């Protein structure tokens, strides 16, 4: 059986409790461009982690590296999910191991209804949330189940994208800018849903430009700056620290 890496010497590791998701000394490249420059962090089961930082800091690249998407290429480091070595997996295998990436562009499949988009995610077992449960979580999707997915409003498409991830049996939800372009009232609705999903035990990493909203939702926060972690601690600590807010988040 594979053993978890020993993080005891890593200064970024605040907690000694065994982590659910562990990223250890991850370095990623787009061709020759060196982007994720030795990132290490832990996420505990049931936690919401906000991954923050300015434009181009490497947030999306970090999420994509964890999800094992082909670009960027992870050339060094280890990623463990519930004792499984994601760093040795393809993106398909990582998805099967329980990673649910909700990309920034939402990827709703044209020509399919809301329900067909969800059913497509449920083709491969093990199936996650049932349609009934998903429609309970997102009543707007239930009302529009026969509507073509790409004709939904931006907020509804975001809901469908999250619902589609939950339709698979995932352990970690990776959200890239879920609030982008959405009205505050829709952000409220999605936030409420994410809290409900957390109550069901889900572990979540949220990348957001809307740092205050993400920090209000999250238990912990990591701030990235040019591909390195400059802060790892309680979300409330960032909200209360004007220097961090100004220097790395411009809020
Ligand atoms: N496909 C790519 N090829 C080359 N460089 C890339 C590619 N994608 C991203 N980069 C570069 O990697 C760096 C980090 O980009 P990334 O998208 O991870 O940042 P981000 O923190 O998500 O930014 P934003 O807040 O704007 O979404 C940037 O300098 C970007 O130009
Ligand atoms: Mg990004």
């Amino acid at each position: 059986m594979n053993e978890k890496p020993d993080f005891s010497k890593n200064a970024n590791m605040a907690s000694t409790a065994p982590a659910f998701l562990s990223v250890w000394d991850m370095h990623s490249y787009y061709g020759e461009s060196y982007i994720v420059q030795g990132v290490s962090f832990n996420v505990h089961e049931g936690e919401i982690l906000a991954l923050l930082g300015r434009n181009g800091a490497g947030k999306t690249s970090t999420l994509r590296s964890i999800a094992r998407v082909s670009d960027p290429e992870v050339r060094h480091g280890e990623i463990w999910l519930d004792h499984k070595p994601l760093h040795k997996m393809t993106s398909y295998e990582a998805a099967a191991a329980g990673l649910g990436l909700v990309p920034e562009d939402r990827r709703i499949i044209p020509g399919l209804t809301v329900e067909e988009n969800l059913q497509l995610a449920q083709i491969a077992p093990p199936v996650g949330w049932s349609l009934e449960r998903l429609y309970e979580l997102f009543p707007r999707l239930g009302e529009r189940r026969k509507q073509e997915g790409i004709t939904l409003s931006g907020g509804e498409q975001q809901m469908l994208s999250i619902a589609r991830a939950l339709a698979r049996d995932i352990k970690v939800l990776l959200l890239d800018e879920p609030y982008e372009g959405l009205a505050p009232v829709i952000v409220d609705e999605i936030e409420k849903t994410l809290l409900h999903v957390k109550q069901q035990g889900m572990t979540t990493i949220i990348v957001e430009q809307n740092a205050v909203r993400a920090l209000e939702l999250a238990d912990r926060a990591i701030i990235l700056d040019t591909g390195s972690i400059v802060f790892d601690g309680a979300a409330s600590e960032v909200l209360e620290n004007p220097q961090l807010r100004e220097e790395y988040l411009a809020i």
Side-chain angles (χ1 to χ4, degrees), residues 108-140:
I108 308 302
I109 300 166
L112 298 187
T113 64
V114 166
E115 191 144 299
E116 287 163 347
N117 264 278
L118 295 173
Q119 283 168 330
L120 195 60
Q122 293 179 323
I123 283 178
V127 170
W129 290 39
S130 66
L131 288 177
E132 194 183 12
R133 233 177 124 201
L134 289 169
Y135 293 149
E136 230 169 85
L137 186 67
F138 293 111
R140 281 163 178 267

Side-chain angles (χ1 to χ4, degrees), residues 140 182-190 213:
R140 281 163 178 267
L182 305 184
V185 54
I186 304 294
V187 172
D188 289 344
E189 214 176 308
I190 292 178
R213 293 299 298 249

Side-chain angles (χ1 to χ4, degrees), residues 11-143:
N12 274 330
M13 298 299 164
S15 171
T16 52
F20 189 58
L21 176 69
S22 291
V23 176
W24 179 71
D25 203 21
M26 185 170 75
H27 299 255
S28 310
Y29 297 73
Y30 295 102
E32 290 312 303
S33 297
Y34 178 35
I35 302 297
V36 178
Q37 306 187 350
V39 159
S40 302
F41 61 92
N42 286 335
V43 192
H44 298 291
E45 194 167 10
E47 191 173 45
I48 300 183
L49 175 78
L51 182 56
L52 306 173
R54 281 188 290 241
N55 290 119
K59 305 179 296 293
T60 297
S61 304
T62 298
L63 283 193
R64 289 173 63 86
S65 298
I66 294 170
R68 309 295 299 135
V69 181
S70 57
D71 244 5
E73 185 193 352
V74 180
R75 296 208 187 137
H76 184 270
E78 297 184 9
I79 309 158
W80 294 81
L81 172 61
D82 201 13
H83 305 273
K84 292 193 191 111
L86 294 184
H87 54 281
K88 292 182 181 164
M89 297 184 189
T90 62
S91 60
Y92 179 80
E93 289 164 342
L99 277 191
L101 176 65
V102 179
E104 203 175 350
D105 60 10
R106 295 166 192 160
R107 309 267 165 88
I108 308 302
I109 300 166
L112 298 187
T113 64
V114 166
E115 191 144 299
E116 287 163 347
N117 264 278
L118 295 173
Q119 283 168 330
L120 195 60
Q122 293 179 323
I123 283 178
V127 170
W129 290 39
S130 66
L131 288 177
E132 194 183 12
R133 233 177 124 201
L134 289 169
Y135 293 149
E136 230 169 85
L137 186 67
F138 293 111
R140 281 163 178 267
L141 295 182
E143 288 158 20

